[in-house]
Amino acid sequence: MLTVDCRDVLSVKNELLVYVSDTVAAIPTLKNNQFTLSTFDDDEILDINTVIGAIKEFLDSIGENNNFAVISNNNTINIQSIHGKIIEQVSETTQNEMFTCTHCGFVTRYQVELNAHQRIHYL
């Protein structure tokens, strides 16, 4: 299991979680300022370099790759601001906004539908 500390990128934490977990095929668990990634099979081990690469790809896709460092320490990956910059909320609420389930990646246009969907993860 790997832990990704997102204190400096909290406004895009959910999008980062979905992108990284899809890229490395891992099970994400969302926490306050971080998320963890686990493998589907307990015998498998997540490659930390693959996870770091996915995080860097995400930061590059939003144009923030030069402002943040991705540092690993044992089973923890920290995303730290180089210049003290914190990512502001990138997207504003619009009628065309899509909502994504952080557990499985389910996508919908309706917040109510997402809330109903997320309840099935806790049954």
Side-chain angles (χ1 to χ4, degrees):
M1 179 167 52
L2 294 176
T3 302
V4 180
D5 186 350
C6 302
R7 294 177 202 277
D8 289 349
V9 293
L10 284 178
S11 64
V12 294
K13 178 178 69 172
N14 292 340
E15 293 87 354
L16 175 65
L17 169 112
V18 170
Y19 182 83
V20 172
S21 64
D22 283 350
T23 303
V24 299
I27 302 169
T29 304
L30 193 59
K31 297 185 178 183
N32 286 336
N33 296 324
Q34 61 190 14
F35 63 87
T36 59
L37 298 169
S38 306
T39 59
F40 291 104
D41 186 8
D42 290 336
D43 296 335
E44 294 179 20
I45 297 173
L46 282 172
D47 181 24
I48 198 161
N49 293 324
T50 305
V51 174
I52 290 172
I55 293 169
K56 288 181 178 181
E57 286 175 15
F58 177 81
L59 291 172
D60 188 40
S61 73
I62 61 171
E64 295 290 346
N65 58 329
N66 294 328
N67 296 321
F68 292 89
V70 182
I71 303 165
S72 67
N73 184 11
N74 294 328
N75 289 332
T76 302
I77 299 171
N78 294 314
I79 304 170
Q80 294 181 339
S81 176
I82 296 172
H83 307 291
K85 178 182 177 183
I86 304 231
I87 296 178
E88 300 296 328
Q89 186 63 26
V90 185
S91 62
E92 295 180 11
T93 305
T94 62
Q95 290 182 352
N96 296 328
E97 183 174 353
M98 301 296 281
F99 298 96
T100 305
C101 176
T102 58
H103 299 290
C104 67
F106 172 76
V107 178
T108 182
R109 292 181 58 197
Y110 307 103
Q111 179 71 41
V112 174
E113 185 178 11
L114 176 66
N115 292 341
H117 165 82
Q118 286 181 327
R119 288 186 191 124
I120 68 170
H121 292 291
Y122 299 105
L123 294 179

